[in-house]
Amino acid sequence: MDVLHMTSRKRETYEVRIESSLLWESALGIAAITNTRLIDTLEKPKASWDKLKKSLSKSLIRDLDYVEKNNTWKSLLLLLHQRGFGSLQEFITFLDDLEDEEIKYLCIPYIGLKFQELRMLASKGDVPSRNRLKDQTDDNPYYPGYIEFICTTNVHKLKKHLMGVMTRWYEEVILPEQETLSAILTRDRQSKVEMSEKLNPEALVEWATGGITYLPEPAVHTVLLIPQSIYRPWNVEGDVEGVKVFYYPVANESIYPDDKDMPSYFLVQKHKALGDEARLRMVKFLKGSERTLQEITNELGMGKSTVHHHLKILRSARLVETLDGKYRLKENAVQSLSNELKHYLKKE
């Protein structure tokens, strides 16, 4: 049916900000090494992670065990969003100066404007508010337990832990590679800034993240893009009041600026993901319909853990996505693959 437009109001969208910092890279590294369920899907081989762990101090290993148990990497990310910290020492000073209720409030995840009062009351020790927040986030695998931990933990111990793990990881892992990492992040940020002058905000987000379609939503006025190398190939998504955050994987061109024949990371990942019989069968099974993990397992006659592993690879290549507990094929991504290859072959 035709619509008679009697308004000049345009569809609203968001603005995009792009920031980079070794502090983000540090916090995400802490998150990655303690995410045992995901670590085998990261670009960096598990053997390299194991080697890194063996090189770390005993104090840092204890810190990381605590992170893995309580998901305090989330606290670091949330606290880093409070201001633009220019150095590790500036961040540590900020942490040290926070009042007890303030640090709890900042570490409790933002889940929407209408839950801000519950968040505030929970930080003050109100048990019913804490339980309501946990109920509201029970679809997240770790939020309820994390909220319980933040609301009940000893703040002095939490501060000491956060300052210790951030300082030790930065000194032992980031500083030896500081110059290289800083150059990579700076190059990637600059390339996104330059592209922001050519693309609208939604197209820029999709291009930077390797295929995430993020449409405007109520109460989100800004998308913050933060380049990272440690969590490649994954985008890490976050929410801050009024802001959607994507810690996106840096492009190959930012890592190897002198190699003009370097292909796009996601072009390589897509071909790798499709270069396996089981995953090709999954792609065909998912074409045109959404399927649960159990349905895919039954169809392929494979173990659920094996199927889940293959699906992780397809998801990391941006060929498959999840919605309401079901997997579906991103058919546009499959259809555009030949064009991406042609574009690379024509590149001079």
Side-chain angles (χ1 to χ4, degrees):
M1 182 174 67
D2 290 337
V3 177
L4 181 62
H5 293 283
M6 300 184 69
T7 176
S8 61
R9 184 172 179 232
K10 297 180 180 179
R11 182 174 73 87
E12 292 185 11
T13 188
Y14 42 76
E15 68 167 347
V16 177
R17 293 203 332 262
I18 309 164
E19 297 178 2
S20 66
S21 167
L22 290 175
L23 296 178
W24 297 115
E25 190 76 1
S26 187
L28 289 167
I30 292 167
I33 202 170
T34 56
N35 192 338
T36 54
R37 294 181 300 173
L38 197 68
I39 201 166
D40 62 341
T41 69
L42 299 180
E43 179 185 52
K44 189 173 185 175
K46 187 175 183 300
S48 297
W49 287 107
D50 292 340
K51 182 179 179 181
L52 174 60
K53 272 192 171 182
K54 290 179 181 178
S55 72
L56 302 178
S57 66
K58 291 181 179 179
S59 296
L60 182 50
I61 290 295
R62 285 195 296 269
D63 287 333
L64 295 174
D65 288 341
Y66 193 83
V67 172
E68 186 170 350
K69 179 181 178 182
N70 299 298
N71 291 298
T72 49
W73 58 267
K74 182 66 175 177
S75 303
L76 291 171
L77 289 177
L78 289 172
L79 290 164
L80 280 170
H81 279 291
Q82 299 312 306
R83 64 177 67 164
F85 298 101
S87 66
L88 173 63
Q89 187 55 54
E90 188 178 337
F91 178 62
I92 297 302
T93 301
F94 168 77
L95 281 181
D96 200 30
D97 290 341
L98 286 175
E99 300 292 336
D100 289 7
E101 289 180 7
E102 188 177 11
I103 192 171
K104 287 191 175 186
Y105 174 76
L106 294 176
C107 289
I108 295 173
Y110 170 80
I111 61 172
L113 279 175
K114 64 181 180 180
F115 300 108
Q116 286 294 73
E117 185 177 358
L118 289 180
R119 188 178 172 210
M120 179 62 72
L121 291 173
S123 70
K124 297 177 180 292
D126 185 68
V127 175
S129 296
R130 179 204 315 165
N131 290 334
R132 285 186 62 189
L133 283 178
K134 290 164 62 177
D135 290 341
Q136 289 294 327
T137 59
D138 63 0
D139 59 337
N140 185 289
Y142 72 89
Y143 265 19
Y146 171 76
I147 290 170
E148 178 72 21
F149 165 77
I150 291 298
C151 291
T152 59
T153 193
N154 178 279
V155 173
H156 175 74
K157 182 179 179 181
L158 176 63
K159 274 189 182 183
K160 185 178 179 181
H161 160 70
L162 294 175
M163 290 189 288
V165 70
M166 190 69 167
T167 300
R168 292 185 185 101
W169 182 272
Y170 196 91
E171 292 176 349
E172 295 182 33
V173 180
I174 300 296
L175 281 183
E177 303 289 334
Q178 181 178 14
E179 187 174 341
T180 299
L181 283 173
S182 183
I184 290 171
L185 298 177
T186 300
R187 277 194 296 268
D188 204 273
R189 179 187 178 278
Q190 185 57 37
S191 73
K192 296 332 185 256
V193 169
E194 292 173 1
M195 191 60 76
S196 69
E197 299 174 359
K198 304 174 184 178
L199 299 176
N200 65 48
E202 293 161 44
L204 177 63
V205 169
E206 185 167 355
W207 176 72
T209 60
I212 291 180
T213 302
Y214 180 68
L215 300 176
E217 58 180 315
V220 175
H221 311 295
T222 303
V223 169
L224 177 58
L225 295 175
I226 298 175
Q228 51 83 13
S229 66
I230 198 74
Y231 240 100
R232 289 201 343 155
W234 293 100
N235 287 281
V236 180
E237 183 179 337
D239 291 284
V240 185
E241 186 174 350
V243 180
K244 173 65 72 173
V245 185
F246 292 106
Y247 312 90
Y248 68 88
V250 296
N252 278 356
E253 300 94 306
S254 299
I255 301 176
Y256 309 102
D258 298 325
D259 188 346
K260 303 305 180 184
D261 293 326
M262 177 60 63
S264 158
Y265 178 81
F266 286 108
L267 177 63
V268 175
Q269 290 304 109
K270 287 174 184 177
H271 281 279
K272 281 185 176 182
L274 293 173
D276 179 273
E277 180 182 339
R279 292 195 286 274
L280 276 174
R281 288 177 179 272
M282 289 181 188
V283 166
K284 185 172 183 180
F285 184 56
L286 290 171
K287 180 175 172 57
S289 60
E290 300 174 353
R291 306 285 186 173
T292 64
L293 176 61
Q294 189 60 56
E295 287 174 327
I296 301 170
T297 301
N298 293 342
E299 173 70 16
L300 298 180
M302 302 169 66
K304 186 173 288 188
S305 60
T306 301
V307 170
H308 193 251
H309 173 73
H310 283 306
L311 287 168
K312 278 185 179 179
I313 293 174
L314 289 169
R315 286 180 61 204
S316 69
R318 307 291 181 267
L319 294 170
V320 167
E321 61 186 352
T322 58
L323 182 66
D324 298 330
K326 292 186 176 182
Y327 293 87
R328 67 179 180 185
L329 182 66
K330 298 184 69 172
E331 298 197 22
N332 286 341
V334 176
Q335 292 168 2
S336 66
L337 190 52
S338 61
N339 288 333
E340 292 178 45
L341 181 58
K342 289 177 183 177
H343 176 76
Y344 166 69
L345 293 176
K346 290 180 180 178
K347 188 171 68 171
E348 295 182 358

